Amino acid sequence: MASAPASLDPRFATDAASVRVNRLLYRALVDFDAASRPVPQLARWERLSATRYRFVLGEEGRRFSGGGRLTAEDVAATYRSILDPATGSPLRAGLAVIRAVRALDEDTVEFELARPDPLFPGRLGVGILPAAAVAAGRRLDRRPEGSGPFALLDWPAPGVLRLRRRADGLVVRIERVRDPTVRLLKLLRGELDLIQNDLPPELVRYAASRPELVVRRRPGSNFSYLGFNLEDPDTGRLAVRRAVAHALDREAIVRHVLAGAARPAEALLPPEHWAGARGLAPYRHDPERARALLREAGYGPARPLRLTYKTSADPFRLRLATVIQHQLAQVGIRVTIRSYDWGTFYGDVKAGRFQMYSLTWVGVRSPDLFRYLFHSASIPPRGANRGRYRSAEADRLIEAAEAARDPAEQARLFRRLQALLHEELPYVPLWYEDHVLVARRAVAGYRLRADGAWDGLTAVRLRAPARAVSAGGGGRG
């Protein structure tokens, strides 16, 4: 990993590493298909009325790693805990539509909603916790107990996790290695068996030339963007954000810095998503237009626009930031880069201590994320509207899309919302990065997913004599 998970309790997991590890440790009521529509994982469901849903648990995945059987009461306890303000879960705002959750018997749980929400099943992707552990207030962030395909064996150091695959006892060691060159050297020496993402293109090219390694790719859906503080006197101005968008040469960055391993993005949801935006006119690289927008906003040689850009200390992310800094300088925007270790950087972003930053949203599935990111009621700590974006029209479209019962109407409203966001630019869309696996030839059975999840570890095997599998993976959230 480029960064270690912050929490192994799914009620508090918001960074990419935590989400990916937790997906291995826990099972949820629902999962998603290739078009990001919700499908059963632990349970199938029935819509009893506009505000009542009944979920019936199946038999698969119902044994916690501690030995207990997962029941409807565990489901109810998990969601009640998230909804309890005293818990302080960042997921609470996205689930506030739940008025009550009741276990009817061991296999059946009902959700009563405060208002109709046709998207509701897609909100239930949270890993289920044991009710007894929740009631006892156990520290599940360090000692997780889920019913997923893996269990935590130990956490011997801050950057090292060892997971045991429950089906056959295979041990997977997941290790944080911040420097990508060191990561690849460890792979070449056999200290790691596979790396997913977070290798710069030149190292991927080098890995492809090595006979002992295999490189595989697939297009991804993880959305990279520039975020802005809309309460800042500079980045809060639409003309400034549009100038930044036109100053960027995204195609050149994709071609030369990312070695073609990405596709330009115009919206949070990729076009193949059932509610994905299509036909949005891209912000073309247009330095003259960018300079004109800056002049209209009162900036120029006598009064240059100065921005501070925060990013992580990952060498490749820092290189991307430097390229963006150079492109913005060509239109007269003077950018100061501030790079920090992941914890400090992510803490600043969540607290709104930034003018401009770059991050990637990973595992985007349900469009309910729009409320979490852009509704005016979702400013932290009630959500992840970190840029303090406030728009009555965006709020109306989010609420109308959530209330629409016809999937085609929902998709139409979400596309209108994405067109509005594309116009008002609380984020400047950058690209959807491809996923890249670099592995030793002894590794077999690992499949990349479009969302970058590490589910491939559930089927990975070694052709060599059995031993612990070591994995280095990347992600930003």
Side-chain angles (χ1 to χ4, degrees):
M1 301 176 287
S3 57
S7 176
L8 298 186
D9 185 331
R11 295 171 296 177
F12 302 99
T14 58
D15 63 289
S18 296
V19 169
R20 286 172 173 161
V21 174
N22 282 338
R23 184 173 167 87
L24 300 174
L25 297 173
Y26 297 91
R27 282 188 169 88
L29 291 180
V30 303
D31 202 356
F32 296 88
D33 66 14
S36 296
R37 297 183 181 90
V39 294
Q41 188 177 74
L42 279 172
R44 67 184 189 275
W45 64 87
E46 179 184 2
R47 181 175 174 272
L48 303 177
S49 73
T51 56
R52 283 179 66 216
Y53 285 80
R54 177 175 294 168
F55 286 75
V56 179
L57 296 167
E59 286 304 312
E60 187 176 353
R62 291 189 60 180
R63 185 65 59 185
F64 286 116
S65 58
R69 179 172 168 80
L70 188 154
T71 70
E73 187 53 48
D74 298 308
V75 176
T78 297
Y79 282 95
R80 287 180 192 137
S81 174
I82 291 170
L83 293 168
D84 183 351
T87 303
S89 170
L91 308 183
R92 179 171 175 257
L95 294 167
V97 68
I98 300 173
R99 175 177 287 161
V101 53
R102 294 179 290 271
L104 304 185
D105 55 40
E106 278 208 347
D107 301 326
T108 311
V109 61
E110 278 192 5
F111 290 86
E112 179 185 345
L113 309 186
R115 54 176 172 78
D117 182 8
L119 291 174
F120 179 67
R123 300 183 190 275
L124 302 184
V126 182
I128 302 303
L129 308 164
V134 172
R138 275 180 33 199
R139 283 286 307 274
L140 293 164
D141 59 330
R142 301 293 298 184
R143 298 179 61 190
E145 186 179 343
S147 67
F150 285 83
L152 180 68
L153 192 61
D154 58 19
W155 196 333
V160 177
L161 300 173
R162 290 203 312 150
L163 309 183
R164 177 179 54 82
R165 193 160 65 188
R166 296 173 65 188
D168 59 4
L170 179 79
V171 175
V172 175
R173 174 186 168 98
I174 302 176
E175 180 180 351
R176 180 183 63 198
V177 182
R178 290 192 175 97
D179 185 87
T181 302
V182 175
R183 222 173 290 146
L184 184 59
L185 289 173
K186 282 177 170 284
L187 189 69
L188 289 166
R189 291 195 298 260
E191 297 173 27
L192 294 176
D193 292 297
L194 61 94
I195 300 171
Q196 181 176 313
N197 297 337
D198 280 348
L199 285 177
E202 65 272 15
L203 291 185
V204 174
R205 286 193 295 268
Y206 177 72
S209 73
R210 296 293 300 230
E212 67 268 46
L213 301 181
V214 174
V215 176
R216 297 194 183 97
R217 304 173 185 268
R218 72 160 294 167
S221 60
N222 294 343
F223 170 73
S224 295
Y225 64 94
L226 284 178
F228 300 95
N229 188 337
L230 274 68
E231 292 182 342
D232 181 86
D234 294 318
T235 54
R237 305 179 72 172
L238 179 57
V240 166
R241 302 194 299 276
R242 287 180 175 169
V244 169
H246 282 297
L248 291 174
D249 189 345
R250 295 180 300 162
E251 292 184 358
I253 295 175
V254 168
R255 184 168 59 253
H256 298 296
V257 182
L258 300 173
R263 48 185 172 143
E266 301 302 331
L268 175 67
L269 301 180
E272 61 270 20
H273 192 285
W274 68 266
R278 303 179 184 101
L280 295 176
Y283 283 89
R284 299 291 184 190
H285 177 52
D286 188 343
E288 285 305 315
R289 178 63 180 147
R291 294 185 188 99
L293 286 163
L294 291 172
R295 286 194 298 271
E296 291 171 17
Y299 303 99
R303 186 190 172 225
L305 173 61
R306 301 176 187 274
L307 297 179
T308 300
Y309 176 8
K310 290 191 174 183
T311 186
S312 75
D314 177 84
F316 185 62
R317 299 296 140 186
L318 189 55
R319 187 193 311 173
L320 279 175
T322 303
V323 173
I324 290 171
Q325 177 192 48
H326 173 75
Q327 291 186 349
L328 298 187
Q330 303 309 298
V331 302
I333 302 174
R334 299 183 182 179
V335 175
T336 300
I337 297 173
R338 298 277 187 260
S339 65
Y340 304 89
D341 67 88
W342 172 255
T344 301
F345 166 59
Y346 193 50
D348 280 356
V349 170
K350 291 192 292 184
R353 293 189 292 267
F354 59 84
Q355 273 188 303
M356 183 171 72
Y357 69 95
S358 58
L359 266 177
T360 300
W361 276 104
V362 305
V364 176
R365 290 297 197 178
S366 176
D368 68 340
L369 190 62
F370 285 113
R371 173 179 285 272
Y372 184 59
L373 299 184
F374 299 116
H375 197 284
S376 58
S378 295
I379 291 170
R382 293 177 293 174
N385 185 349
R386 297 158 183 163
R388 279 65 180 171
Y389 173 64
R390 295 175 176 86
S391 165
E393 178 63 6
D395 290 353
R396 186 191 70 78
L397 286 169
I398 290 168
E399 292 161 10
E402 290 175 340
R405 298 188 182 183
D406 175 42
E409 176 64 7
Q410 279 187 323
R412 186 186 70 82
L413 289 166
F414 279 123
R415 288 174 182 137
R416 283 185 57 190
L417 171 65
Q418 289 170 92
L420 175 67
L421 296 172
H422 191 261
E423 179 182 343
E424 297 192 341
L425 291 179
Y427 290 175
V428 167
L430 296 177
W431 43 73
Y432 308 110
E433 292 185 27
D434 292 352
H435 297 296
V436 179
L437 174 72
V438 182
R440 296 186 64 82
R441 287 196 176 275
V443 174
Y446 191 96
R447 297 184 62 184
L448 287 164
R449 288 171 52 100
D451 62 2
W454 296 342
D455 293 28
L457 292 173
T458 63
V460 72
R461 65 187 187 278
L462 289 174
R463 297 188 184 97
R467 60 182 176 81
V469 173
S470 296
R476 301 142 310 273

